Amino acid sequence: MTVRLLTNIGRLWTGTDVCSNAAVLIHDDRIVWAGPASDLPQSVPGIIDDIVDVDHVENLGGGLVTPGLIDAHSHPVYAGNRWAELAMRTSGSSHSAIAAAGGGVNSTVTVTRGTDPWTLCNGVRERLRQWILAGTTTVEAKTGYHLTRDGELADIRMLRSLEGEPSMPRIHATFLAAHILPPEFFGRRRDYIEAVRLWAGDAAVAGADSIDVYCDEGHFTAEEARALLLTGKRAGLKARMHACANERIGAAQVAAEVGCASADLLTQANDDDIKALAHAGVTATVCPGSALNSSRAPAPVRQMIDRGVTVALGTDHNPGQCGITSMPLVIGLSVAMFGLSVTEALRAATLGGAAALRVGDRGSLAPGMLADIVLWDADHEGAFAWAFGLRALRVWRGGVPVQP
Ligand SMILES: N=CN[C@@H](CCC(=O)O)C(=O)O
């Protein structure tokens, strides 16, 4: 049993409250108490008889402390890169010209399939380290670049095992075999849908938390998404969806009907979509980084908030559009692109992320919550809107300091 006291916190942003000259008391991996240092209890029954007997005291030098950030949408499991394709796109090449030159999601599928598991795992480990060092203690991580039963299941097992390593973020593993139709199923899409439905149960056994379907032109239809998500839910997975990213083909309505934990991207969502999400209690996960790089209009986030939709944020890190691994940058972009206040953006990156993942044990610094905590290189949260990538000075996952 370890009791740890974080003191001399200049400003404590808990998710629900803000206070100055604060302290946080941690017992093992959980928060016991957080608030103004002047109110720090002298003892906590069953945990510590006298506060002077804590095992570790850490002076945080008057800095800003928040809950660990939550990235609610990322695609970190891939090999290779598509930088040449991005250069083509910026020179005006069309989607079809890029595909004809061997680019697109299926080119990453080819490279990922051809990469041995150890090399792939080392790359993913290095990548995930960047999230936690930048203050993101939970990452929603999708599969979706193997698109074979064994490859997708191996991806999930790899994510589960990486999560157990020291100084890695917590992982919410999402089974995304329904990312795009793989080439060997061209002309046989019904067969692929049926195969993915069969694999969903195996994905749950392998340790997946969620199933995701990319519902859009060129990916999967609303009807296919409904069938896949309902199968995934029956297997015990939470449902999430790439919805209304490029075209509106009924994805938001299906997300609402199926009871998705979150509908993501939503750049083309209109008021009917937003109303449906609000009515069904579906969290909207928006990703400003990939929207910027794909020339999509920013998602209508203000309308979502006005309609009562809970908003979460994601990096949408993926090999084709967006290399961002910094949620502090995503917070800055959300303020600039969506017109969110810093408080709204920070809440979306903490409690909003917890809602998107349907986890109740993180996203705020309250007694009983996981001690996932970040000390920032600032003394006020307004710095997120200024730094575009505010630096995390120290990170604790479950009360344990993350080693740089
Ligand atoms: N948000 C995720 N999927 C991207 C593609 C990812 C990639 O290009 O590798 C999309 O098709 O929008």
Side-chain angles (χ1 to χ4, degrees):
M1 165 169 129
T2 305
V3 181
R4 189 180 292 270
L5 180 64
L6 309 183
T7 62
N8 194 14
I9 297 170
R11 189 167 169 91
L12 179 67
W13 191 97
T14 66
T16 52
D17 213 354
V18 187
C19 65
S20 305
N21 303 323
V24 174
L25 187 63
I26 300 165
H27 173 226
D28 290 342
D29 66 343
R30 300 277 163 167
I31 292 167
V32 174
W33 182 91
S38 53
D39 297 345
L40 181 67
Q42 287 311 294
S43 65
V44 180
I47 292 177
I48 192 152
D49 293 334
D50 192 327
I51 200 74
V52 297
D53 293 334
V54 295
D55 301 295
H56 303 278
V57 180
E58 294 176 63
N59 182 329
L60 303 196
L64 169 73
V65 164
T66 72
L69 304 180
I70 298 175
D71 181 350
H73 186 125
S74 82
H75 302 251
V77 186
Y78 63 86
N81 69 66
R82 306 222 303 279
W83 301 333
E85 173 185 324
L86 276 160
M88 280 178 77
R89 201 187 300 160
T90 58
S91 305
S93 293
S94 67
H95 211 71
S96 47
I98 289 170
V105 174
N106 269 322
S107 71
T108 298
V109 170
T110 304
V111 175
T112 304
R113 285 177 177 180
T115 300
D116 72 83
W118 301 112
T119 306
L120 180 64
C121 184
N122 286 338
V124 177
R125 180 187 291 109
E126 281 309 302
R127 212 165 274 145
L128 288 171
R129 286 272 297 154
Q130 296 175 35
W131 267 266
I132 196 160
L133 292 176
T136 302
T137 46
T138 298
V139 178
E140 188 269 358
K142 300 175 197 299
T143 67
Y145 290 104
H146 267 114
L147 310 183
T148 60
R149 177 185 177 280
D150 290 355
E152 292 288 309
L153 299 184
D155 291 346
I156 291 161
R157 288 191 209 99
M158 174 181 70
L159 288 168
R160 281 274 81 90
S161 120
L162 283 172
E163 178 184 42
E165 295 184 7
S167 297
M168 292 296 279
R170 299 179 198 278
I171 304 290
H172 183 105
T174 297
F175 169 64
L176 180 61
H179 192 184
I180 200 166
L181 193 69
E184 64 275 21
F185 280 89
F186 285 178
R188 296 193 296 128
R189 56 185 300 121
R190 283 178 68 114
D191 291 351
Y192 189 64
I193 307 291
E194 288 315 310
V196 174
R197 291 178 74 183
L198 280 176
W199 303 344
D202 303 329
V205 172
D209 300 293
S210 286
I211 181 169
D212 190 343
V213 177
Y214 202 125
C215 181
D216 215 314
E217 277 312 332
H219 294 259
F220 296 94
T221 66
E223 202 179 309
E224 291 165 345
R226 182 187 293 109
L228 287 158
L229 293 173
L230 288 175
T231 305
K233 280 190 87 171
R234 278 195 291 275
L237 300 171
K238 293 167 192 163
R240 53 194 72 251
M241 236 177 149
H242 286 69
C244 314
N246 304 314
E247 304 289 339
R248 292 185 59 252
I249 62 163
Q253 315 299 328
V254 171
E257 182 196 315
V258 167
C260 278
S262 87
D264 298 21
L265 305 181
L266 296 168
T267 44
Q268 307 298 325
N270 71 9
D271 202 44
D272 287 341
D273 300 322
I274 295 170
K275 276 193 215 156
L277 299 179
H279 186 70
V282 179
T283 299
T285 298
V286 293
C287 304
S290 58
L292 263 181
N293 211 10
S294 53
S295 343
R296 294 170 184 150
V301 179
R302 180 55 59 198
Q303 289 95 306
M304 293 173 187
I305 291 175
D306 289 346
R307 289 255 179 229
V309 176
T310 300
V311 172
L313 298 178
T315 56
D316 196 8
H317 176 98
N318 71 68
Q321 294 163 333
C322 183
I324 294 174
T325 56
S326 162
M327 282 297 289
L329 171 57
V330 168
I331 291 172
L333 291 174
S334 299
V335 171
M337 289 169 62
F338 301 142
L340 297 186
S341 69
V342 171
T343 302
E344 287 171 326
L346 201 42
R347 199 171 289 144
T350 50
L351 284 166
L357 304 186
R358 298 258 167 106
V359 287
D361 57 1
R362 66 201 82 164
S364 75
L365 300 179
M369 301 295 265
L370 288 167
D372 293 353
I373 300 172
V374 185
L375 169 68
W376 300 99
D377 187 12
D379 58 15
H380 196 285
E381 64 276 14
F384 281 102
W386 171 84
F388 286 97
L390 186 62
R391 198 159 64 100
L393 294 180
R394 302 192 64 182
V395 181
W396 294 259
R397 176 189 152 170
V400 178
V402 169
Q403 297 309 320

